Structure formats: C-alpha cells, structure tokens
Amino acid sequence: LLSCRLYCEEAKDPKRRSCQTVLAEALDVVVRSFAPILPHLAEEVFQYIPYKKGSEGVFRTGWINASSAWKKPGIEEAIEGACAMRDSFLGSISGKNALEYEVIIVIEPGLLFELMEALQAEETSSVSQLNEIMMASQTTLLSELPKETPSDANIIKGTFLINLEGGDICEQSSYKVIARPIAKAKCPRCRRYTAESSSTPCPRCLQVLAAGKGST
C-alpha cells in the first residue's frame, strides 16, 4: 500500500502526499511517546527529521497533540471491514501472489456497502483505496453477484459487525468475495497486472510518466 503510493504515483499527487503526511504524523507520535524513557534517541531522531529544520527539540515543543481532523466517523470501521474481506481473499488463494488476481466484492445495499463506497467510488478500480487494501490488481464492488458468475466459482462468505457512535449504530452485514486470475499483463513499472502488454506500462503509469515529462 505504502510502496505503491510512494514510488508509483506522481511526486505531487494527493495520494502520495497524503501517505507522506501519515508517515510524518506517525513518526512524530512515536518519537514523542518514547522520549521520556529514551531521551537521547528521541532527541537525535527529532533533530534529523528533514522537514523540522530549526526545531527547538522534542522536549521544547510539547507532548503529543494529534489533530481532531484525524478522527472521522466510519473510517476505522471501513478499514477494518476492508481488512476482513482482504483476509478472506488471501485465505482463498493459499499464499499465491495476490497481484495475479482480481477481486469481486458483493455486499447487499446497506451501511457496509456505503463504507466500502467511501474507499472506492467506482464500480471497478485498480488504484482505489479499497484495491490497495485488498492487495489485488483490480477490485470490483457490487451489490449483487454478476450474472456471468460460474456455478463452480469459489465464493467466500463472511460477516462484519459495524459499531458506530459508541454502539448507537450497530449492523451485522454479510459479504461475498470472489477471487479469479486476472487476464491482463504485468506492468513493467508498478508490477501490477493492469497492462495490455508486458512491454508497455499500464494506463495509470503512462499518465504519471507523461505528467513527469511535462513538468521537466
């Protein structure tokens, strides 16, 4: 998830920048957390953080002060739900390369489906947050099984309990996960199976490369 955003997206792409922001916030919290018991290490780490030039040091800039903007209702449940589906997917392919597969997630209309839509607005995507969590090359989010689903398809069923607002909103939702080998070729740049040919980058990578040439 992190490597794809950091190394495959354009330098100023919001996905890449948001990833860097999360890593910076995590580092700040971790360093301040162990500063009372490892003061010299914390101070050394803090002084070498490149974006904190001229800082007064970890002990003169206060304790952990996480912004309330990080707490968004439903985000934690959405990530946990997606991770539960990812575990079902990975369990169904028995240690094989997840990138060699596309995933179809089927959820009946309801709260869980809405949470997954927050991670993937499009029906099918290879670059959405949901697909990054699933670790597949492509993820499709549907409200019912596709009509062309083979009768012998390996359909993994599961449930997820959504608990929002301190228990005021609770909903047990079921989901189905179908994993099938993807028909596309491996992109030589991002290594996902999203290209038309193994010698040509996928559409996303072509767009990033074109933007990079235009800015030079």
Side-chain angles (χ1 to χ4, degrees):
L1 173 58
L2 295 179
S3 61
C4 185
R5 288 193 174 197
L6 290 174
Y7 300 119
C8 296
E9 299 292 352
E10 188 182 353
K12 295 183 179 180
D13 188 279
K15 289 183 179 180
R16 184 175 185 275
R17 297 292 291 156
S18 66
C19 181
Q20 291 177 310
T21 299
V22 170
L23 291 174
E25 184 73 11
L27 177 62
D28 186 84
V29 170
V30 169
V31 172
R32 292 182 193 278
S33 296
F34 67 65
I37 57 175
L38 296 170
H40 298 292
L41 176 60
E43 188 64 36
E44 184 175 6
V45 171
F46 209 80
Q47 293 300 328
Y48 278 92
I49 295 177
Y51 48 84
K52 287 186 179 293
K53 293 181 179 179
S55 173
E56 296 180 351
V58 67
F59 293 102
R60 295 185 178 182
T61 53
W63 184 235
I64 299 170
N65 185 25
S67 171
S68 59
W70 291 97
K71 185 63 176 178
K72 294 184 179 180
I75 292 297
E76 182 177 353
E77 288 73 17
I79 299 298
E80 289 180 350
C83 287
M85 297 174 199
R86 178 193 62 196
D87 292 343
S88 296
F89 159 56
L90 295 178
S92 71
I93 61 176
S94 303
K96 297 178 181 177
N97 184 1
L99 290 175
E100 296 179 358
Y101 290 82
E102 62 174 322
V103 179
I104 300 174
I105 300 174
V106 182
I107 309 172
E108 292 185 358
L111 186 54
L112 182 58
F113 187 86
E114 293 175 5
L115 290 175
M116 292 305 105
E117 280 190 315
L119 300 177
Q120 178 169 302
E122 310 86 354
E123 183 176 284
T124 299
S125 177
S126 61
V127 297
S128 68
Q129 295 180 68
L130 179 58
N131 186 67
E132 290 178 339
I133 294 171
M134 295 303 292
M135 299 170 62
S137 278
Q138 180 175 287
T139 297
T140 299
L141 179 62
L142 301 173
S143 58
E144 59 182 13
L145 280 173
K147 295 181 179 179
E148 67 274 12
T149 302
S151 57
D152 59 346
N154 184 18
I155 302 176
I156 302 94
K157 299 180 180 180
T159 60
F160 182 74
L161 177 62
I162 300 171
N163 193 332
L164 293 173
E165 299 184 9
D168 291 339
I169 300 177
C170 287
E171 183 176 300
Q172 182 87 16
S173 301
S174 60
Y175 62 84
K176 298 181 181 73
V177 175
I178 304 172
R180 59 189 188 189
I182 195 162
K184 295 185 178 181
K186 180 191 287 188
C187 172
R189 182 174 180 271
C190 70
R191 318 303 290 177
R192 289 184 174 179
Y193 290 77
T194 51
E196 297 301 324
S197 167
S198 58
S199 60
T200 305
C202 67
R204 188 274 300 271
C205 286
L206 286 174
Q207 183 177 357
V208 172
L209 292 170
K213 290 180 180 180
S215 60
T216 58

